[in-house]
Short mmCIF file of all heavy atoms in Angstrom, two decimals:
data_model
loop_
_atom_site.label_atom_id
_atom_site.label_comp_id
_atom_site.label_asym_id
_atom_site.label_seq_id
_atom_site.Cartn_x
_atom_site.Cartn_y
_atom_site.Cartn_z
N MET Y 1 -46.72 -25.85 15.17
CA MET Y 1 -46.82 -24.51 15.69
C MET Y 1 -48.24 -23.96 15.56
O MET Y 1 -48.65 -23.10 16.30
CB MET Y 1 -45.82 -23.61 14.96
CG MET Y 1 -45.58 -22.32 15.66
SD MET Y 1 -44.88 -22.63 17.26
CE MET Y 1 -44.11 -21.11 17.59
N GLY Y 2 -48.99 -24.48 14.60
CA GLY Y 2 -50.33 -23.97 14.36
C GLY Y 2 -51.29 -24.20 15.51
O GLY Y 2 -52.16 -23.37 15.76
N ILE Y 3 -51.13 -25.30 16.25
CA ILE Y 3 -52.05 -25.58 17.36
C ILE Y 3 -51.84 -24.59 18.50
O ILE Y 3 -52.80 -24.13 19.12
CB ILE Y 3 -51.93 -27.05 17.85
CG1 ILE Y 3 -53.03 -27.38 18.85
CG2 ILE Y 3 -50.58 -27.31 18.45
CD1 ILE Y 3 -54.39 -27.49 18.24
N PHE Y 4 -50.59 -24.20 18.75
CA PHE Y 4 -50.32 -23.23 19.81
C PHE Y 4 -50.84 -21.84 19.44
O PHE Y 4 -51.35 -21.11 20.27
CB PHE Y 4 -48.83 -23.17 20.12
CG PHE Y 4 -48.30 -24.43 20.73
CD1 PHE Y 4 -47.37 -25.20 20.06
CD2 PHE Y 4 -48.75 -24.86 21.96
CE1 PHE Y 4 -46.90 -26.37 20.60
CE2 PHE Y 4 -48.29 -26.03 22.52
CZ PHE Y 4 -47.36 -26.79 21.84
N GLU Y 5 -50.73 -21.51 18.17
CA GLU Y 5 -51.26 -20.25 17.68
C GLU Y 5 -52.78 -20.21 17.84
O GLU Y 5 -53.34 -19.21 18.28
CB GLU Y 5 -50.87 -20.10 16.21
CG GLU Y 5 -51.29 -18.81 15.58
CD GLU Y 5 -50.82 -18.74 14.13
OE1 GLU Y 5 -49.77 -19.32 13.82
OE2 GLU Y 5 -51.53 -18.11 13.34
N PHE Y 6 -53.44 -21.30 17.51
CA PHE Y 6 -54.89 -21.40 17.65
C PHE Y 6 -55.31 -21.27 19.12
O PHE Y 6 -56.24 -20.54 19.45
CB PHE Y 6 -55.38 -22.72 17.07
CG PHE Y 6 -56.85 -22.95 17.25
CD1 PHE Y 6 -57.77 -22.26 16.48
CD2 PHE Y 6 -57.31 -23.82 18.22
CE1 PHE Y 6 -59.14 -22.47 16.66
CE2 PHE Y 6 -58.67 -24.03 18.41
CZ PHE Y 6 -59.58 -23.35 17.62
N ILE Y 7 -54.60 -21.97 20.01
CA ILE Y 7 -54.93 -21.92 21.44
C ILE Y 7 -54.73 -20.51 21.97
O ILE Y 7 -55.58 -19.98 22.71
CB ILE Y 7 -54.08 -22.94 22.21
CG1 ILE Y 7 -54.51 -24.37 21.86
CG2 ILE Y 7 -54.18 -22.72 23.72
CD1 ILE Y 7 -53.59 -25.45 22.38
N PHE Y 8 -53.62 -19.87 21.62
CA PHE Y 8 -53.35 -18.51 22.09
C PHE Y 8 -54.43 -17.55 21.59
O PHE Y 8 -54.92 -16.70 22.34
CB PHE Y 8 -51.97 -18.06 21.60
CG PHE Y 8 -51.56 -16.72 22.11
CD1 PHE Y 8 -51.26 -16.54 23.45
CD2 PHE Y 8 -51.46 -15.64 21.26
CE1 PHE Y 8 -50.88 -15.30 23.93
CE2 PHE Y 8 -51.07 -14.41 21.72
CZ PHE Y 8 -50.78 -14.24 23.06
N GLN Y 9 -54.83 -17.69 20.32
CA GLN Y 9 -55.86 -16.83 19.76
C GLN Y 9 -57.19 -17.04 20.48
O GLN Y 9 -57.90 -16.08 20.78
CB GLN Y 9 -56.01 -17.09 18.28
CG GLN Y 9 -57.02 -16.18 17.62
CD GLN Y 9 -57.13 -16.45 16.14
OE1 GLN Y 9 -56.67 -17.47 15.65
NE2 GLN Y 9 -57.75 -15.53 15.43
N GLN Y 10 -57.55 -18.27 20.78
CA GLN Y 10 -58.80 -18.54 21.47
C GLN Y 10 -58.79 -17.98 22.89
O GLN Y 10 -59.81 -17.49 23.37
CB GLN Y 10 -59.09 -20.04 21.48
CG GLN Y 10 -59.42 -20.61 20.13
CD GLN Y 10 -60.59 -19.90 19.47
OE1 GLN Y 10 -61.61 -19.68 20.08
NE2 GLN Y 10 -60.42 -19.51 18.22
N ILE Y 11 -57.66 -18.06 23.54
CA ILE Y 11 -57.55 -17.48 24.89
C ILE Y 11 -57.74 -15.98 24.82
O ILE Y 11 -58.48 -15.39 25.62
CB ILE Y 11 -56.20 -17.86 25.53
CG1 ILE Y 11 -56.18 -19.34 25.90
CG2 ILE Y 11 -55.94 -17.01 26.77
CD1 ILE Y 11 -54.83 -19.84 26.34
N LEU Y 12 -57.09 -15.32 23.86
CA LEU Y 12 -57.23 -13.88 23.72
C LEU Y 12 -58.67 -13.48 23.43
O LEU Y 12 -59.19 -12.53 24.01
CB LEU Y 12 -56.32 -13.35 22.61
CG LEU Y 12 -54.86 -13.22 22.96
CD1 LEU Y 12 -54.09 -12.75 21.73
CD2 LEU Y 12 -54.64 -12.27 24.09
N ILE Y 13 -59.31 -14.19 22.52
CA ILE Y 13 -60.66 -13.81 22.13
C ILE Y 13 -61.67 -14.15 23.22
O ILE Y 13 -62.46 -13.31 23.65
CB ILE Y 13 -61.06 -14.49 20.81
CG1 ILE Y 13 -60.24 -13.92 19.66
CG2 ILE Y 13 -62.54 -14.30 20.52
CD1 ILE Y 13 -60.45 -14.65 18.35
N ASN Y 14 -61.68 -15.38 23.67
CA ASN Y 14 -62.75 -15.85 24.53
C ASN Y 14 -62.60 -15.45 25.99
O ASN Y 14 -63.58 -15.09 26.62
CB ASN Y 14 -62.88 -17.36 24.43
CG ASN Y 14 -63.36 -17.78 23.06
OD1 ASN Y 14 -64.12 -17.07 22.43
ND2 ASN Y 14 -62.88 -18.91 22.60
N VAL Y 15 -61.43 -15.49 26.51
CA VAL Y 15 -61.26 -15.24 27.93
C VAL Y 15 -61.00 -13.76 28.22
O VAL Y 15 -61.78 -13.09 28.89
CB VAL Y 15 -60.12 -16.11 28.50
CG1 VAL Y 15 -59.89 -15.82 29.96
CG2 VAL Y 15 -60.44 -17.57 28.30
N ILE Y 16 -59.92 -13.26 27.68
CA ILE Y 16 -59.50 -11.90 28.02
C ILE Y 16 -60.30 -10.87 27.23
O ILE Y 16 -60.85 -9.93 27.81
CB ILE Y 16 -58.00 -11.74 27.76
CG1 ILE Y 16 -57.23 -12.69 28.67
CG2 ILE Y 16 -57.55 -10.31 27.97
CD1 ILE Y 16 -55.77 -12.81 28.36
N GLY Y 17 -60.38 -11.04 25.92
CA GLY Y 17 -61.06 -10.05 25.09
C GLY Y 17 -62.51 -9.86 25.44
O GLY Y 17 -62.99 -8.74 25.58
N ASN Y 18 -63.26 -10.95 25.62
CA ASN Y 18 -64.67 -10.84 25.95
C ASN Y 18 -64.88 -10.17 27.30
O ASN Y 18 -65.74 -9.29 27.44
CB ASN Y 18 -65.33 -12.21 25.97
CG ASN Y 18 -65.52 -12.79 24.59
OD1 ASN Y 18 -65.33 -12.11 23.60
ND2 ASN Y 18 -65.87 -14.04 24.54
N GLY Y 19 -64.11 -10.57 28.28
CA GLY Y 19 -64.28 -10.00 29.63
C GLY Y 19 -63.94 -8.53 29.68
O GLY Y 19 -64.69 -7.72 30.24
N VAL Y 20 -62.82 -8.15 29.10
CA VAL Y 20 -62.40 -6.74 29.12
C VAL Y 20 -63.35 -5.90 28.28
O VAL Y 20 -63.73 -4.80 28.69
CB VAL Y 20 -60.94 -6.61 28.64
CG1 VAL Y 20 -60.54 -5.17 28.47
CG2 VAL Y 20 -60.01 -7.32 29.61
N TYR Y 21 -63.74 -6.40 27.11
CA TYR Y 21 -64.67 -5.65 26.26
C TYR Y 21 -66.01 -5.44 26.97
O TYR Y 21 -66.57 -4.35 26.94
CB TYR Y 21 -64.87 -6.38 24.93
CG TYR Y 21 -65.70 -5.60 23.96
CD1 TYR Y 21 -65.17 -4.50 23.30
CD2 TYR Y 21 -67.02 -5.95 23.71
CE1 TYR Y 21 -65.93 -3.78 22.41
CE2 TYR Y 21 -67.79 -5.23 22.82
CZ TYR Y 21 -67.24 -4.15 22.16
OH TYR Y 21 -68.00 -3.43 21.30
N PHE Y 22 -66.50 -6.48 27.64
CA PHE Y 22 -67.75 -6.36 28.38
C PHE Y 22 -67.61 -5.33 29.50
O PHE Y 22 -68.50 -4.51 29.70
CB PHE Y 22 -68.14 -7.73 28.96
CG PHE Y 22 -69.38 -7.72 29.78
CD1 PHE Y 22 -70.62 -7.55 29.18
CD2 PHE Y 22 -69.34 -7.88 31.15
CE1 PHE Y 22 -71.79 -7.54 29.94
CE2 PHE Y 22 -70.49 -7.87 31.91
CZ PHE Y 22 -71.72 -7.70 31.30
N LEU Y 23 -66.49 -5.34 30.20
CA LEU Y 23 -66.25 -4.37 31.26
C LEU Y 23 -66.24 -2.94 30.71
O LEU Y 23 -66.85 -2.04 31.29
CB LEU Y 23 -64.93 -4.68 31.97
CG LEU Y 23 -64.53 -3.71 33.08
CD1 LEU Y 23 -65.54 -3.75 34.22
CD2 LEU Y 23 -63.15 -4.05 33.58
N PHE Y 24 -65.55 -2.72 29.59
CA PHE Y 24 -65.54 -1.40 28.97
C PHE Y 24 -66.93 -0.95 28.58
O PHE Y 24 -67.31 0.20 28.80
CB PHE Y 24 -64.64 -1.37 27.72
CG PHE Y 24 -63.17 -1.40 28.02
CD1 PHE Y 24 -62.30 -1.93 27.09
CD2 PHE Y 24 -62.65 -0.89 29.19
CE1 PHE Y 24 -60.94 -1.96 27.34
CE2 PHE Y 24 -61.29 -0.92 29.45
CZ PHE Y 24 -60.43 -1.45 28.52
N ARG Y 25 -67.72 -1.86 27.99
CA ARG Y 25 -69.08 -1.50 27.59
C ARG Y 25 -69.94 -1.14 28.81
O ARG Y 25 -70.73 -0.20 28.76
CB ARG Y 25 -69.74 -2.65 26.83
CG ARG Y 25 -69.09 -3.02 25.52
CD ARG Y 25 -69.13 -1.92 24.53
NE ARG Y 25 -70.50 -1.55 24.22
CZ ARG Y 25 -70.86 -0.83 23.20
NH1 ARG Y 25 -69.96 -0.40 22.35
NH2 ARG Y 25 -72.11 -0.53 23.00
N LYS Y 26 -69.78 -1.87 29.90
CA LYS Y 26 -70.55 -1.56 31.11
C LYS Y 26 -70.11 -0.23 31.72
O LYS Y 26 -70.94 0.51 32.25
CB LYS Y 26 -70.42 -2.68 32.14
CG LYS Y 26 -71.21 -3.92 31.78
CD LYS Y 26 -72.68 -3.58 31.71
CE LYS Y 26 -73.51 -4.78 31.42
NZ LYS Y 26 -74.94 -4.48 31.41
N LEU Y 27 -68.83 0.07 31.66
CA LEU Y 27 -68.33 1.33 32.21
C LEU Y 27 -68.86 2.54 31.45
O LEU Y 27 -69.05 3.61 32.04
CB LEU Y 27 -66.80 1.36 32.22
CG LEU Y 27 -66.14 0.46 33.26
CD1 LEU Y 27 -64.62 0.47 33.06
CD2 LEU Y 27 -66.48 0.89 34.66
N ILE Y 28 -69.11 2.40 30.15
CA ILE Y 28 -69.64 3.52 29.39
C ILE Y 28 -71.17 3.58 29.43
O ILE Y 28 -71.77 4.46 28.85
CB ILE Y 28 -69.14 3.53 27.93
CG1 ILE Y 28 -69.59 2.29 27.18
CG2 ILE Y 28 -67.65 3.71 27.87
CD1 ILE Y 28 -69.30 2.34 25.69
N GLY Y 29 -71.79 2.64 30.15
CA GLY Y 29 -73.23 2.73 30.38
C GLY Y 29 -74.10 1.83 29.52
O GLY Y 29 -75.30 2.07 29.42
N ASP Y 30 -73.54 0.82 28.91
CA ASP Y 30 -74.33 -0.11 28.09
C ASP Y 30 -75.21 -0.96 29.01
O ASP Y 30 -74.74 -1.55 29.96
CB ASP Y 30 -73.39 -1.00 27.29
CG ASP Y 30 -74.09 -1.70 26.14
OD1 ASP Y 30 -75.33 -1.71 26.13
OD2 ASP Y 30 -73.39 -2.22 25.26
N ARG Y 31 -76.50 -1.02 28.72
CA ARG Y 31 -77.45 -1.73 29.57
C ARG Y 31 -77.69 -3.18 29.14
O ARG Y 31 -78.42 -3.91 29.80
CB ARG Y 31 -78.79 -1.00 29.57
CG ARG Y 31 -78.70 0.40 30.08
CD ARG Y 31 -79.07 0.45 31.52
NE ARG Y 31 -79.06 1.84 31.96
CZ ARG Y 31 -78.41 2.24 33.01
NH1 ARG Y 31 -77.72 1.39 33.72
NH2 ARG Y 31 -78.44 3.50 33.37
N ARG Y 32 -77.09 -3.62 28.03
CA ARG Y 32 -77.31 -4.98 27.54
C ARG Y 32 -76.58 -5.99 28.43
O ARG Y 32 -75.62 -5.65 29.11
CB ARG Y 32 -76.81 -5.12 26.10
CG ARG Y 32 -77.56 -4.25 25.13
CD ARG Y 32 -77.02 -4.39 23.75
NE ARG Y 32 -75.67 -3.82 23.71
CZ ARG Y 32 -74.85 -3.92 22.67
NH1 ARG Y 32 -75.21 -4.58 21.61
NH2 ARG Y 32 -73.67 -3.38 22.69
N ASN Y 33 -77.04 -7.23 28.39
CA ASN Y 33 -76.36 -8.26 29.17
C ASN Y 33 -75.18 -8.83 28.37
O ASN Y 33 -74.97 -8.50 27.21
CB ASN Y 33 -77.33 -9.35 29.62
CG ASN Y 33 -77.91 -10.13 28.46
OD1 ASN Y 33 -77.42 -10.07 27.35
ND2 ASN Y 33 -78.96 -10.87 28.72
N TYR Y 34 -74.42 -9.71 29.00
CA TYR Y 34 -73.19 -10.26 28.41
C TYR Y 34 -73.47 -10.98 27.09
O TYR Y 34 -72.75 -10.79 26.12
CB TYR Y 34 -72.54 -11.20 29.42
CG TYR Y 34 -71.23 -11.79 28.95
CD1 TYR Y 34 -70.06 -11.05 29.03
CD2 TYR Y 34 -71.18 -13.08 28.42
CE1 TYR Y 34 -68.86 -11.57 28.60
CE2 TYR Y 34 -69.98 -13.61 27.98
CZ TYR Y 34 -68.82 -12.85 28.08
OH TYR Y 34 -67.64 -13.38 27.64
N LYS Y 35 -74.52 -11.78 27.07
CA LYS Y 35 -74.83 -12.56 25.86
C LYS Y 35 -75.18 -11.66 24.69
O LYS Y 35 -74.74 -11.90 23.56
CB LYS Y 35 -75.97 -13.53 26.16
CG LYS Y 35 -76.39 -14.37 24.99
CD LYS Y 35 -76.20 -15.82 25.27
CE LYS Y 35 -76.73 -16.68 24.15
NZ LYS Y 35 -75.77 -16.96 23.14
N GLU Y 36 -75.95 -10.61 24.91
CA GLU Y 36 -76.32 -9.69 23.83
C GLU Y 36 -75.10 -8.96 23.29
O GLU Y 36 -74.96 -8.81 22.08
CB GLU Y 36 -77.35 -8.68 24.33
CG GLU Y 36 -78.70 -9.27 24.60
CD GLU Y 36 -79.65 -8.26 25.23
OE1 GLU Y 36 -79.21 -7.15 25.56
OE2 GLU Y 36 -80.82 -8.61 25.40
N ILE Y 37 -74.24 -8.51 24.17
CA ILE Y 37 -73.03 -7.82 23.72
C ILE Y 37 -72.14 -8.78 22.94
O ILE Y 37 -71.60 -8.42 21.90
CB ILE Y 37 -72.27 -7.21 24.93
CG1 ILE Y 37 -73.06 -6.05 25.50
CG2 ILE Y 37 -70.88 -6.75 24.52
CD1 ILE Y 37 -72.48 -5.47 26.77
N GLN Y 38 -72.01 -10.00 23.41
CA GLN Y 38 -71.16 -10.98 22.76
C GLN Y 38 -71.71 -11.35 21.38
O GLN Y 38 -70.95 -11.50 20.42
CB GLN Y 38 -71.04 -12.22 23.62
CG GLN Y 38 -70.07 -13.25 23.07
CD GLN Y 38 -69.93 -14.43 24.00
OE1 GLN Y 38 -70.62 -14.52 25.00
NE2 GLN Y 38 -69.05 -15.34 23.67
N ASP Y 39 -73.01 -11.48 21.24
CA ASP Y 39 -73.62 -11.88 19.97
C ASP Y 39 -73.56 -10.78 18.92
O ASP Y 39 -73.46 -11.05 17.73
CB ASP Y 39 -75.08 -12.29 20.17
CG ASP Y 39 -75.21 -13.62 20.92
OD1 ASP Y 39 -74.20 -14.35 21.00
OD2 ASP Y 39 -76.31 -13.89 21.42
N GLN Y 40 -73.61 -9.52 19.34
CA GLN Y 40 -73.70 -8.41 18.40
C GLN Y 40 -72.35 -7.76 18.08
O GLN Y 40 -72.31 -6.79 17.35
CB GLN Y 40 -74.66 -7.35 18.94
CG GLN Y 40 -76.07 -7.87 19.07
CD GLN Y 40 -76.99 -6.87 19.73
OE1 GLN Y 40 -76.56 -5.82 20.16
NE2 GLN Y 40 -78.26 -7.21 19.80
N THR Y 41 -71.27 -8.28 18.61
CA THR Y 41 -69.96 -7.66 18.42
C THR Y 41 -69.09 -8.58 17.57
O THR Y 41 -69.04 -9.77 17.79
CB THR Y 41 -69.29 -7.41 19.78
OG1 THR Y 41 -70.17 -6.66 20.59
CG2 THR Y 41 -68.01 -6.65 19.60
N ALA Y 42 -68.37 -7.98 16.64
CA ALA Y 42 -67.47 -8.74 15.77
C ALA Y 42 -66.30 -9.28 16.58
O ALA Y 42 -65.86 -8.68 17.56
CB ALA Y 42 -66.98 -7.85 14.65
N GLY Y 43 -65.75 -10.40 16.16
CA GLY Y 43 -64.67 -11.06 16.87
C GLY Y 43 -63.37 -10.29 16.89
O GLY Y 43 -62.61 -10.35 17.84
N TYR Y 44 -63.08 -9.53 15.81
CA TYR Y 44 -61.81 -8.83 15.75
C TYR Y 44 -61.72 -7.72 16.79
O TYR Y 44 -60.64 -7.41 17.27
CB TYR Y 44 -61.53 -8.28 14.34
CG TYR Y 44 -62.51 -7.23 13.87
CD1 TYR Y 44 -62.27 -5.90 14.12
CD2 TYR Y 44 -63.65 -7.58 13.17
CE1 TYR Y 44 -63.15 -4.93 13.70
CE2 TYR Y 44 -64.54 -6.63 12.73
CZ TYR Y 44 -64.28 -5.30 13.00
OH TYR Y 44 -65.16 -4.35 12.58
N ILE Y 45 -62.84 -7.10 17.15
CA ILE Y 45 -62.81 -6.06 18.18
C ILE Y 45 -62.45 -6.67 19.52
O ILE Y 45 -61.61 -6.14 20.25
CB ILE Y 45 -64.17 -5.34 18.26
CG1 ILE Y 45 -64.43 -4.54 17.00
CG2 ILE Y 45 -64.24 -4.44 19.49
CD1 ILE Y 45 -65.80 -3.94 16.91
N LYS Y 46 -63.04 -7.81 19.83
CA LYS Y 46 -62.73 -8.48 21.10
C LYS Y 46 -61.29 -9.00 21.09
O LYS Y 46 -60.62 -8.97 22.11
CB LYS Y 46 -63.72 -9.59 21.35
CG LYS Y 46 -65.13 -9.08 21.61
CD LYS Y 46 -66.08 -10.19 21.90
CE LYS Y 46 -66.53 -10.83 20.64
NZ LYS Y 46 -67.61 -11.79 20.79
N PHE Y 47 -60.82 -9.47 19.95
CA PHE Y 47 -59.45 -9.97 19.84
C PHE Y 47 -58.46 -8.86 20.13
O PHE Y 47 -57.54 -9.01 20.93
CB PHE Y 47 -59.20 -10.55 18.45
CG PHE Y 47 -57.79 -11.00 18.24
CD1 PHE Y 47 -57.33 -12.16 18.82
CD2 PHE Y 47 -56.92 -10.24 17.48
CE1 PHE Y 47 -56.03 -12.58 18.63
CE2 PHE Y 47 -55.62 -10.65 17.29
CZ PHE Y 47 -55.17 -11.82 17.86
N PHE Y 48 -58.63 -7.69 19.49
CA PHE Y 48 -57.69 -6.60 19.70
C PHE Y 48 -57.83 -5.98 21.08
O PHE Y 48 -56.86 -5.43 21.61
CB PHE Y 48 -57.81 -5.56 18.60
CG PHE Y 48 -57.25 -6.04 17.29
CD1 PHE Y 48 -58.06 -6.22 16.20
CD2 PHE Y 48 -55.91 -6.35 17.19
CE1 PHE Y 48 -57.54 -6.68 15.01
CE2 PHE Y 48 -55.37 -6.82 15.99
CZ PHE Y 48 -56.19 -6.98 14.90
N THR Y 49 -59.00 -6.08 21.69
CA THR Y 49 -59.15 -5.65 23.08
C THR Y 49 -58.29 -6.53 23.97
O THR Y 49 -57.60 -6.04 24.86
CB THR Y 49 -60.62 -5.74 23.52
OG1 THR Y 49 -61.42 -4.95 22.64
CG2 THR Y 49 -60.79 -5.25 24.94
N GLY Y 50 -58.31 -7.83 23.74
CA GLY Y 50 -57.47 -8.75 24.51
C GLY Y 50 -55.99 -8.50 24.28
O GLY Y 50 -55.19 -8.49 25.23
N VAL Y 51 -55.60 -8.27 23.03
CA VAL Y 51 -54.19 -7.99 22.71
C VAL Y 51 -53.74 -6.70 23.39
O VAL Y 51 -52.66 -6.64 23.98
CB VAL Y 51 -53.99 -7.91 21.18
CG1 VAL Y 51 -52.60 -7.40 20.84
CG2 VAL Y 51 -54.23 -9.26 20.54
N ALA Y 52 -54.56 -5.66 23.30
CA ALA Y 52 -54.20 -4.38 23.92
C ALA Y 52 -54.10 -4.52 25.44
O ALA Y 52 -53.20 -3.95 26.06
CB ALA Y 52 -55.24 -3.32 23.56
N PHE Y 53 -55.01 -5.27 26.05
CA PHE Y 53 -54.97 -5.46 27.49
C PHE Y 53 -53.70 -6.18 27.92
O PHE Y 53 -53.04 -5.77 28.87
CB PHE Y 53 -56.21 -6.25 27.94
CG PHE Y 53 -56.30 -6.43 29.42
CD1 PHE Y 53 -56.64 -5.37 30.24
CD2 PHE Y 53 -56.04 -7.66 30.01
CE1 PHE Y 53 -56.73 -5.53 31.61
CE2 PHE Y 53 -56.12 -7.84 31.36
CZ PHE Y 53 -56.47 -6.76 32.17
N ILE Y 54 -53.32 -7.22 27.21
CA ILE Y 54 -52.09 -7.94 27.53
C ILE Y 54 -50.88 -7.04 27.32
O ILE Y 54 -49.93 -7.04 28.12
CB ILE Y 54 -51.98 -9.24 26.70
CG1 ILE Y 54 -53.01 -10.24 27.20
CG2 ILE Y 54 -50.58 -9.82 26.77
CD1 ILE Y 54 -53.07 -11.51 26.41
N PHE Y 55 -50.89 -6.24 26.27
CA PHE Y 55 -49.78 -5.31 26.01
C PHE Y 55 -49.64 -4.30 27.16
O PHE Y 55 -48.53 -4.02 27.61
CB PHE Y 55 -50.01 -4.58 24.68
CG PHE Y 55 -48.93 -3.61 24.34
CD1 PHE Y 55 -47.68 -4.05 23.96
CD2 PHE Y 55 -49.16 -2.25 24.41
CE1 PHE Y 55 -46.67 -3.15 23.65
CE2 PHE Y 55 -48.16 -1.34 24.10
CZ PHE Y 55 -46.91 -1.79 23.72
N VAL Y 56 -50.75 -3.76 27.64
CA VAL Y 56 -50.70 -2.81 28.75
C VAL Y 56 -50.17 -3.49 30.01
O VAL Y 56 -49.34 -2.91 30.73
CB VAL Y 56 -52.11 -2.20 29.00
CG1 VAL Y 56 -52.17 -1.46 30.32
CG2 VAL Y 56 -52.49 -1.29 27.86
N ILE Y 57 -50.59 -4.71 30.27
CA ILE Y 57 -50.09 -5.44 31.44
C ILE Y 57 -48.58 -5.65 31.33
O ILE Y 57 -47.85 -5.46 32.32
CB ILE Y 57 -50.82 -6.80 31.58
CG1 ILE Y 57 -52.29 -6.59 31.89
CG2 ILE Y 57 -50.16 -7.67 32.63
CD1 ILE Y 57 -52.56 -5.91 33.21
N ILE Y 58 -48.09 -6.02 30.16
CA ILE Y 58 -46.65 -6.23 29.98
C ILE Y 58 -45.88 -4.93 30.18
O ILE Y 58 -44.84 -4.91 30.85
CB ILE Y 58 -46.37 -6.83 28.58
CG1 ILE Y 58 -46.89 -8.26 28.52
CG2 ILE Y 58 -44.88 -6.78 28.24
CD1 ILE Y 58 -46.86 -8.87 27.14
N VAL Y 59 -46.38 -3.82 29.63
CA VAL Y 59 -45.70 -2.54 29.80
C VAL Y 59 -45.67 -2.13 31.27
O VAL Y 59 -44.63 -1.68 31.78
CB VAL Y 59 -46.39 -1.46 28.94
CG1 VAL Y 59 -45.91 -0.07 29.30
CG2 VAL Y 59 -46.17 -1.73 27.46
N LEU Y 60 -46.78 -2.30 31.97
CA LEU Y 60 -46.81 -1.95 33.39
C LEU Y 60 -45.88 -2.84 34.20
O LEU Y 60 -45.22 -2.35 35.13
CB LEU Y 60 -48.25 -2.04 33.92
CG LEU Y 60 -49.20 -0.97 33.41
CD1 LEU Y 60 -50.61 -1.25 33.92
CD2 LEU Y 60 -48.75 0.40 33.85
N MET Y 61 -45.81 -4.11 33.87
CA MET Y 61 -44.91 -5.02 34.61
C MET Y 61 -43.46 -4.62 34.38
O MET Y 61 -42.67 -4.63 35.31
CB MET Y 61 -45.16 -6.46 34.16
CG MET Y 61 -46.44 -7.04 34.73
SD MET Y 61 -46.78 -8.70 34.10
CE MET Y 61 -45.38 -9.60 34.70
N LYS Y 62 -43.10 -4.26 33.13
CA LYS Y 62 -41.73 -3.86 32.85
C LYS Y 62 -41.38 -2.57 33.58
O LYS Y 62 -40.25 -2.37 33.99
CB LYS Y 62 -41.53 -3.68 31.35
CG LYS Y 62 -41.41 -4.97 30.61
CD LYS Y 62 -41.00 -4.69 29.19
CE LYS Y 62 -40.19 -5.84 28.69
NZ LYS Y 62 -38.83 -5.61 28.50
N LYS Y 63 -42.36 -1.70 33.73
CA LYS Y 63 -42.10 -0.40 34.37
C LYS Y 63 -41.96 -0.54 35.88
O LYS Y 63 -41.08 0.07 36.48
CB LYS Y 63 -43.23 0.56 34.05
CG LYS Y 63 -43.00 1.94 34.59
CD LYS Y 63 -44.04 2.91 34.13
CE LYS Y 63 -43.72 4.28 34.66
NZ LYS Y 63 -44.59 5.30 34.13
N PHE Y 64 -42.79 -1.36 36.51
CA PHE Y 64 -42.82 -1.42 37.97
C PHE Y 64 -42.00 -2.56 38.57
O PHE Y 64 -41.63 -2.50 39.73
CB PHE Y 64 -44.27 -1.53 38.46
CG PHE Y 64 -45.05 -0.27 38.24
CD1 PHE Y 64 -46.12 -0.25 37.37
CD2 PHE Y 64 -44.68 0.91 38.87
CE1 PHE Y 64 -46.84 0.90 37.16
CE2 PHE Y 64 -45.39 2.09 38.66
CZ PHE Y 64 -46.47 2.08 37.80
N ILE Y 65 -41.71 -3.60 37.80
CA ILE Y 65 -40.93 -4.72 38.31
C ILE Y 65 -39.55 -4.66 37.67
O ILE Y 65 -39.40 -4.75 36.48
CB ILE Y 65 -41.61 -6.06 37.97
CG1 ILE Y 65 -42.98 -6.12 38.62
CG2 ILE Y 65 -40.73 -7.23 38.44
CD1 ILE Y 65 -43.79 -7.33 38.23
N ARG Y 66 -38.56 -4.53 38.52
CA ARG Y 66 -37.18 -4.45 38.00
C ARG Y 66 -36.33 -5.49 38.61
O ARG Y 66 -36.34 -5.95 39.61
CB ARG Y 66 -36.60 -3.08 38.27
CG ARG Y 66 -37.35 -2.05 37.45
CD ARG Y 66 -36.63 -0.71 37.48
NE ARG Y 66 -37.44 0.24 36.77
CZ ARG Y 66 -37.12 0.71 35.59
NH1 ARG Y 66 -36.01 0.34 35.01
NH2 ARG Y 66 -37.89 1.57 35.00
#
């Protein structure tokens, strides 16, 4: 079970969390590029950004798809 947990965590952090966090930073006016934002930000912030994004998607799907 540990390998699936690791894969899921990496997907949340690297794919979803980084992209959504970068988008949020750009929307609030951050002028840094992707690499600078990624290097200067702790991993747990990006992880919880990914978790929150997936949670919002699930809630919206449950609300609109019946």
